[in-house]
Amino acid sequence: MKRRISRAWWVGLGAVGLTPARWAALTPVTRRAIKTFVWLAILLILIALFGVWKIAALALAAVIALLVVPAWNRIPFGKYVVPLAILAIAIAYPYYNTHMPQLPIFGPFPQISTMVVMMIFTMMALGLNFVVGYAGLLDLGYVAFYAMGAYMAGWFASNQFANQHLNFGAVGLYQGWSGYHISIWLLLPMAGIATAIIGVLIGLPTLRLRGDYLAIVTLGFGEIIPQVANNGDNLFGTGFNLTNGTGGITPIDGPGFGNWADKHLHLPANYLNAQNFDSLYFWTAIVLVLITIFCSARLRDSRLGRAWIAIREDETAASAMGIPLMRTKTWAYATGAFFGGVAGAYYASYKSGAFPDDFFFNISVFILCMVILGGMGNIWGVIFGACFLAYLDREGLANVGAWFSNHTHRTIDVPKYEFGIFGLILVITMLFRPEGLIPSQRRAAELHEGVHDEPLYDTEHAGA
Amino acid sequence: MATNVATAPLRARRSVGSYVMPVLASLLLVALFLWLIVNFVKGPAYFTNIAFIGLTNGAVYALVALGYTLVYGILELINFAHGDVFMLGALISASMMITNFGVTTGSSTGFLVIAIIGSLIVTMLACGLINATIEFVAYRPLRGAPRLAPLITAIGVSFILEDVAIGWKQTGYTAVPNVLPRGNVFSAGGVSYTWEKLIVVLITVPVLIALVYLVQRTRQGKAMRATAQDRDAAAMMGINVNRTISFTFLIAGALAGAGGLVYALYFGQVRYDTGYQLGLIAFTAAVLGGIGNLPGAVLGSLCIGFVQAFTDGLRWHSPGSDWTLSIVFSILILILVFRPEGLLGERTPEGG
């Protein structure tokens, strides 16, 4: 846009009264607008002359004008415009998704219920990213935190404890309810905090272990918790029904703002009774994801976040610089657990149930796969990975399978091989692009150049 | 004297915490032994029968646990896919015996022996090759990477192998004909030891002896031990490190294959996810015995086998089979946290 206008043009323009001095006195945006509109006018006249005049040409002209005229290059593009545009597209999704065309292989655009699940898994993946991406601790039992959050929702927003009677802001209670009913809005942070406490309890004894041992220990916890959920209908033979066993806890209350807010502020009284049930859950999930992104970005740049990265890169050096290893790692664990718990509670509220069959090792690997495919330590990468894999899980693979069957005339049950595909993604990513699809620069450098990988707390010295 | 003064406050501070864990651990052990003794007194014959089941389970676990320990000893890598190699072994042997040999419950004893030995050899070869291929494809390119990278690929490979099994045999159980004789070897006062349990031990023990011979007495075994101790030094001494590692994976895979065959014969049904759970149990056994330590793996496997049989089977205040896995994993966590060098406490894990 800084090109000069040549002398010959100025002669002509001066004749119409536009001298160089006058031109220079205009604001840059006006100058650019005039230039753009002149060129567009010439273009449109040419189009009209050749007889292909269409409304589309005018629309194209409008788009070009919009792109060229404002001083976009002055705006912090990557920081605000792109994220806000993506956010706007996401928020408006329920309004246009039924009008979208079919994609080549993947078929129709995801339904809103799928979008809700994608958002919830994004939250979980961002939570795991604190542990795996920032602090570099491999956690194979993340599903334990998800389970914990879900059961928090189960205990405090359903009829589970039949001889209790407590209502604290819950919506949509039927006649003859029993048990604890706490508003989901309050329950989400409660579940997060309870799960973070569990994370600290798990973390305190285990975080001193070396990387791969830590992974196995977390895997052990991840296996124990669903089994407790499975057997918790008669704990230790006392008849105390904590988790309702294999049946799971259902139904769980939905979120909502109550009748007063519905009347005066037009906020939905109870999500479960609303017409656009899925959309409401979707928008709320977006808000939760935004909070998670905010915390991720702010924590990453904080003193604590830099300590996590330092530990990931070189534990010995970090310790020598005065970073308290155990405390820092425990914070990473607790933060990751917090978001896992919130996501779990929200998911339980969306599914209206907490079922022990949902909490198996597969889910831990599924979330880990999101983080690794997208790019460990990079917020955008993790969001991309989570959305993509959650979409594949819910709809994508079935659609791809249908496409294969149509084109090869052989029935392949692609969703059956889902976890093999995820395993393949893990292997291929680690072998060829260990930093993930959208890497964080720093992590990529570590993975390619290698870091000092000898741990300080070695198991050989950690024995009691 | 000066050093004594300097260390005195440190010792005083340590002693507070260091009393708690040993006391708790010994209380736990005392309670455990009390529980076992009461159970034994209430029904000695029943208790012994349960213990025989534990012994047999332990023998199966030992074959798998040795594979974990061999690989960990040489690469310090938890080969997550090992349990699934074992599962493939069980499926291969099941399919060999059913389709290739056509074994049925009515087959004659001589034919059965030939069929089992034939399947054993084929399964061991196939699993060894599978395991060595996995090492070549998924672990070798990551030799210099951070140590979590091969662990992540191992998890990926584990899932791929499970799906290979799904693609081959579908998600249902593959049944193996009940060919092992179920009669008593001996029976006295309610205690009975049956043939199929003895056969499991009879297949397992020669394999273990062969393994110990291989590692302790042969040149290749010496190379394995040297590579486990110090890879760089071994390379300088002219040992082909990559070949030695491949060989270790081959042996580990062959052991898993043997374990798969024994499992298929003894338990009679195999499924794609059999290996995941059993692999974790066997890994616990390897850690319990001291990972990287061959006798330790066998000892740990027997312990875990007994633990499993007792929690499943005993009558007086036993947690029941619902909790078996939780108990096994609790043992894993406790061992890793409080005594990571395992029962046969070698301070540095060394292969072989």
Side-chain angles (χ1 to χ4, degrees), chain B residues 133-171:
Chain B
T133 315
I134 291 171
E135 191 272 332
F136 187 75
V137 174
Y139 307 150
R140 187 170 296 180
L142 294 172
R143 221 28 81 70
R147 61 190 302 152
L148 290 184
L151 184 60
I152 292 170
T153 51
I155 295 167
V157 171
S158 147
F159 277 92
I160 295 171
L161 292 185
E162 279 182 25
D163 273 17
V164 168
I166 291 178
W168 184 29
K169 294 278 181 187
Q170 305 310 317
T171 47

Side-chain angles (χ1 to χ4, degrees), chain A residues 218-407:
Chain A
T218 52
L219 170 66
F221 277 110
E223 289 288 307
I224 289 174
I225 285 190
Q227 212 174 27
V228 172
N230 232 329
N231 302 331
D233 49 350
N234 186 6
L235 268 185
F236 307 114
T238 53
F240 176 59
N241 182 354
L242 185 68
T243 63
N244 211 20
T246 46
I249 300 173
T250 182
I252 292 175
D253 301 345
F257 296 94
N259 291 326
W260 186 89
D262 188 26
K263 212 169 178 183
H264 295 89
L265 305 169
H266 296 289
L267 289 168
N270 181 4
Y271 282 21
L272 294 176
N273 296 340
Q275 287 283 324
N276 53 350
F277 161 82
D278 281 327
S279 307
L280 288 175
Y281 269 103
F282 175 57
W283 289 322
T284 315
I286 286 185
V287 173
L288 291 176
V289 168
L290 284 179
I291 294 171
T292 317
I293 294 174
F294 177 76
C295 295
S296 286
R298 298 295 292 171
L299 274 172
R300 180 193 59 204
D301 298 336
S302 71
R303 192 186 168 84
L304 185 63
R306 283 177 281 131
W308 287 336
I309 292 167
I311 286 183
R312 181 184 79 199
E313 288 181 351
D314 190 335
E315 220 175 280
T316 317
S319 176
M321 289 295 128
I323 292 172
L325 290 185
M326 280 304 290
R327 200 196 304 162
T328 316
K329 284 182 178 181
T330 313
W331 268 115
Y333 225 63
T335 321
F338 179 86
F339 289 107
V342 174
Y346 189 69
Y347 200 15
S349 163
Y350 177 60
K351 283 197 300 192
S352 192
F355 309 105
D357 284 350
D358 293 341
F359 309 125
F360 280 118
F361 175 61
N362 289 356
I363 304 293
S364 296
V365 173
F366 183 43
I367 302 173
L368 181 69
C369 199
M370 293 169 179
V371 176
I372 286 172
L373 174 73
M376 280 182 271
N378 183 318
I379 296 174
W380 302 117
V382 172
I383 293 173
F384 168 76
C387 287
F388 182 59
L389 289 188
Y391 163 69
L392 280 188
D393 174 50
R394 299 279 297 190
E395 284 186 26
L397 286 178
N399 292 346
V400 172
W403 183 85
F404 264 119
S405 305
N406 282 339
H407 284 75

